[in-house]
Amino acid sequence: MLKEFKDFIAKGNVMDMAVGIIIGAAFTAIVKSMVGDLINPFIGLFMGGVDFTNMYVVLAGEVAEGATLEAAREAGAAVFAWGAFVMAVINFLIIAFVVFMLVRYVNKAKEAAAKEEEAQAEAEPAGPSEVDVLMEIRDALKSKPNVG
């Protein structure tokens, strides 16, 4: 069983997946910072200073007016945190767009490499075909006198 596990872990796909998960976690931190520290202030500026992260509706419980979402949750109130959802959607859209751009770039790079390989194959002189080689052998055998 240990050998099977070692073989499984050593496979390229598992290692690629592990690297992808680690990079994805780091990328998520970058996107969170970008959204929270760069995009939200601009959205708030255009919306008149509105901060989406603290937008919520109290469903049940007592919460002081103007309390943050965290304070409302700590007070034990049931809240409908629509602002947090909006921020999650924005995070998702940013991540999806960046992944789309990355995949698009990789596909273009693959296409360019394939075109370059194809052009290089066309530029290289092709060797004689199998039929050409067989015809040369036949002609060479015909030109030799029969000994015997």
Side-chain angles (χ1 to χ4, degrees):
M1 186 167 129
L2 186 60
K3 183 185 180 313
E4 286 180 52
F5 180 70
K6 193 185 334 181
D7 291 343
F8 172 75
I9 292 297
K11 285 184 182 177
N13 292 342
V14 173
M15 296 306 288
D16 291 344
M17 183 181 68
V19 169
I21 290 170
I22 292 167
I23 290 174
F27 185 69
T28 300
I30 291 170
V31 170
K32 271 187 163 180
S33 174
M34 185 172 82
V35 170
D37 301 331
L38 302 176
I39 294 175
N40 282 353
F42 283 113
I43 292 173
L45 180 67
F46 291 118
M47 299 284 294
V50 176
D51 180 14
F52 280 109
T53 55
N54 285 313
M55 295 293 190
Y56 63 92
V57 175
V58 178
L59 300 175
E62 295 293 322
V63 177
E65 178 127 3
T68 64
L69 176 61
E70 185 177 331
R73 286 181 173 159
E74 285 178 5
V79 293
F80 180 72
W82 65 271
F85 177 74
V86 168
M87 294 314 304
V89 169
I90 290 171
N91 285 344
F92 169 76
L93 292 174
I94 291 170
I95 291 171
F97 180 73
V98 170
V99 169
F100 167 75
M101 295 304 290
L102 180 66
V103 169
R104 186 174 176 228
Y105 173 76
V106 168
N107 287 341
K108 282 187 177 186
K110 282 182 180 180
E111 287 174 12
K115 285 181 183 177
E116 183 179 311
E117 189 177 296
E118 185 178 303
Q120 189 177 23
E122 288 176 3
E124 292 178 6
S129 69
E130 186 178 336
V131 173
D132 293 336
V133 172
L134 289 173
M135 287 173 58
E136 282 182 36
I137 293 170
R138 182 197 65 197
D139 293 344
L141 288 174
K142 278 186 180 179
S143 65
K144 287 191 177 182
N146 277 343
V147 179

